[in-house]
Each structure stands twice: as C-alpha cells, then as structure tokens.
Amino acid sequence: SSTTHNMASRALTHSQIVSRLYKRALVSCRDWTVERDLFNSEALKIRAEFRSHMNETDPKTIKRLVEKTEKRLTKHQHPDPYTLPESPGGSKWERNIPPSPHILRPDAFYYHE
C-alpha cells in the first residue's frame, strides 16, 4: 500500500542519524575493547566527542561531521566483531536445540499394527 511505501521511503531525522552513529561507535569500541574498565573510559571519550558538537547548527558542518564519523567507523570496523553467545553466529547459537515434537511423543517409538 502507499502508506507502507511512504513509511519505508521516509528519511531518517538528524536525531536518528546521530543516535545510530553514537550506538555504532559504542559497539565498535566494545568490539575492540576486552576489559570493561577500558571500555568505560573509551565510551566516555566517545560521548564527550559527540557532545562537543551537540549545538552545531550549520548544515554543511553537520553533514561533514556525519560523513567523517561514518568513514571513521567503517575504517576502524573490527574484522571479527563481538557477537552475543545466544545471537545468530554466537558460540551458543542453536546449541542444545530441543528435540522435534514427534520424538517427544511417548508412542513415537512403538510400531502399531
């Protein structure tokens, strides 16, 4: 329907773009940083960097900052990013899958004439 098409083609707001960049920066930092204390200090630096540009109003400067951040995140992307164990691709993904329901039936192993 046209409503679905309009929602799908709707551009992201500036706030959404910056929020997603911030989250990507934190996730990238987590991928590279094993120790929680080190991650916390790096996360504070990331927050300070984002906040230092919070009141920027010039559209050209904002666009340049967003593009610079996207390039930086792409350049520093971890080759083997951290995946939660239970998530697809994680070490516990599909481990100990419950058996199929037909196997759990008590009469499944009996031959009926």
Side-chain angles (χ1 to χ4, degrees), residues 45-85:
K45 292 176 188 175
I46 291 169
R47 181 192 300 171
E49 188 171 347
F50 271 78
R51 285 201 172 176
S52 70
H53 301 290
M54 187 168 67
N55 295 321
E56 184 62 55
T57 57
D58 179 38
K60 289 180 183 179
T61 304
I62 292 170
K63 183 178 179 182
R64 183 181 50 77
L65 287 168
V66 167
E67 289 172 354
K68 177 183 159 194
T69 305
E70 287 174 344
K71 285 179 186 176
R72 188 172 168 191
L73 287 172
T74 301
K75 180 180 177 185
H76 295 290
Q77 187 175 4
H78 197 283
D80 186 21
Y82 178 75
T83 304
L84 293 172

Side-chain angles (χ1 to χ4, degrees), residues 79-112:
D80 186 21
Y82 178 75
T83 304
L84 293 172
E86 294 84 11
S87 297
S91 60
K92 289 185 177 181
W93 178 247
E94 293 188 348
R95 188 186 293 182
N96 299 323
I97 298 174
S100 298
H102 75 278
I103 293 176
L104 296 176
R105 287 192 350 244
D107 63 340
F109 298 105
Y110 297 108
Y111 180 74
H112 296 286

